[in-house]
Amino acid sequence: MSGKLTGKIALVTGGNSGIGLATAQRFVAEGAYVFITGRRQNDLDAAVKQIGKNVTAVQGDVSNLADIDRLFAAIKQEQGHLDVIFANAGGGEIAPLGSITEEHFDKTFNANVKGLLFTVQKALPLLPEGASIILNASTASTVGTPAFSVYSATKAAVRSFARNWILDLKERKIRVNAISPGVVPTPGYTLLGLSEEQVQEFVNSQAVTIPLGRVGTPDEIAKAVVFLASDDSSFVNGIELFVDGGMAQI
Ligand code: NAD
């Protein structure tokens, strides 16, 4: 074990599933103590079991500001500070222009943009100089996808936050980077409203368009998040790191 995060306190929002869970596992394997959040207590309990040690779960909805306050009160009480934030919680649903409802818009922006913004803002009092913030964007921040415009717009907003917040946090030497996963099958894919067969069809259709010829795994994203969280990326600031097998680069 290399211990790239030994002694660090980290937060992974949406750490009970998919990319967040894989990252929480990597963080702990690298020596960090990790707080994870998610909306469902059952899923959180299962994730805590899977991670095994050095983890605390705090239930909450990231789009609810009172829940975010409760989260940071718990972190403050238990550990006193926070070195790494992976603002990962979020998701999307399919809705072509013409069928977009106010509810769809609010749900997507409230989780992916409002929730992410206030997670970072409310964490600020706990962050020491040199802390690292990683925002989970998506290749959708720069490429178009049919029936996915609202989700994509939220991810473009997330990418923009990284560019701007490195200026707001300049004096404190806090780094902010975005990570943009490509196609990475997770439980989130069935939440899009797709059946298992439709997910498989989608995965197959995407794999042939990816220069590496396959989709990614949550752990491949987690490894890149560890890089951005650790001192290995000490001069990397404000970037969008694509982890997509080359999909958005061609
Ligand atoms: P997932 O569904 O497995 O995990 C999403 C996590 O976010 C879950 O823990 C869920 O509980 C949590 N979450 C969602 N909305 C929340 C809310 N309002 N409050 C609190 N928690 C909330 O999906 P995933 O694929 O691992 O997605 C994680 C992140 O990665 C998302 O931001 C997603 O947009 C992004 N992403 C995923 C892919 C991919 O292909 N899987 C690609 C690009 C970006």
Side-chain angles (χ1 to χ4, degrees), residues 1 25 32 47 57 68 87 113 117 127 135 139 148 176 183 195 208 211 240 248-250:
M1 196 193 304
Q25 286 177 289
I68 300 179
V113 180
L117 186 164
L127 301 182
L135 312 177
T139 50
F148 221 32
V176 187
V183 180
S195 68
V208 294
E240 177 172 21
Q249 313 310 316
I250 50 175

Side-chain angles (χ1 to χ4, degrees), residues 119-131:
T119 297
V120 173
Q121 180 163 289
K122 286 176 179 291
L124 292 179
L126 293 177
L127 301 182
E129 185 165 299

Side-chain angles (χ1 to χ4, degrees), residues 44-128:
L44 282 169
D45 292 343
V48 165
K49 227 181 224 170
Q50 202 171 326
I51 296 165
K53 60 169 185 180
N54 295 336
V55 57
T56 298
V58 183
Q59 187 275 337
D61 184 328
V62 84
S63 58
N64 179 327
L65 300 194
D67 283 3
I68 300 179
D69 286 334
R70 207 166 33 76
L71 165 68
F72 290 120
I75 295 174
K76 188 176 180 189
Q77 194 186 2
E78 234 184 85
Q79 297 287 352
H81 77 284
L82 198 52
D83 301 293
V84 174
I85 300 176
F86 182 35
N88 162 76
E93 284 161 13
I94 287 165
L97 186 63
S99 307
I100 294 168
T101 61
E102 187 177 6
E103 190 200 358
H104 169 76
F105 178 90
D106 286 346
K107 185 178 170 193
T108 317
F109 268 83
N110 283 346
N112 297 3
V113 180
K114 178 181 143 184
L116 178 138
L117 186 164
F118 286 101
T119 297
V120 173
Q121 180 163 289
K122 286 176 179 291
L124 292 179
L126 293 177
L127 301 182

Side-chain angles (χ1 to χ4, degrees), residues 13-21 37-40 43 60-64 86-92 107 110-112 136-140 151 154-155 179-189 191 202 218:
T13 62
N16 61 4
S17 176
I19 292 168
L21 175 56
T37 73
R39 283 163 301 177
R40 284 171 295 276
D43 294 348
D61 184 328
V62 84
S63 58
N64 179 327
F86 182 35
N88 162 76
K107 185 178 170 193
N110 283 346
N112 297 3
N136 202 347
S138 166
T139 50
Y151 173 83
T154 66
K155 296 304 188 176
I179 191 157
S180 281
V183 180
V184 180
T186 63
Y189 277 36
L191 299 177
F202 173 73

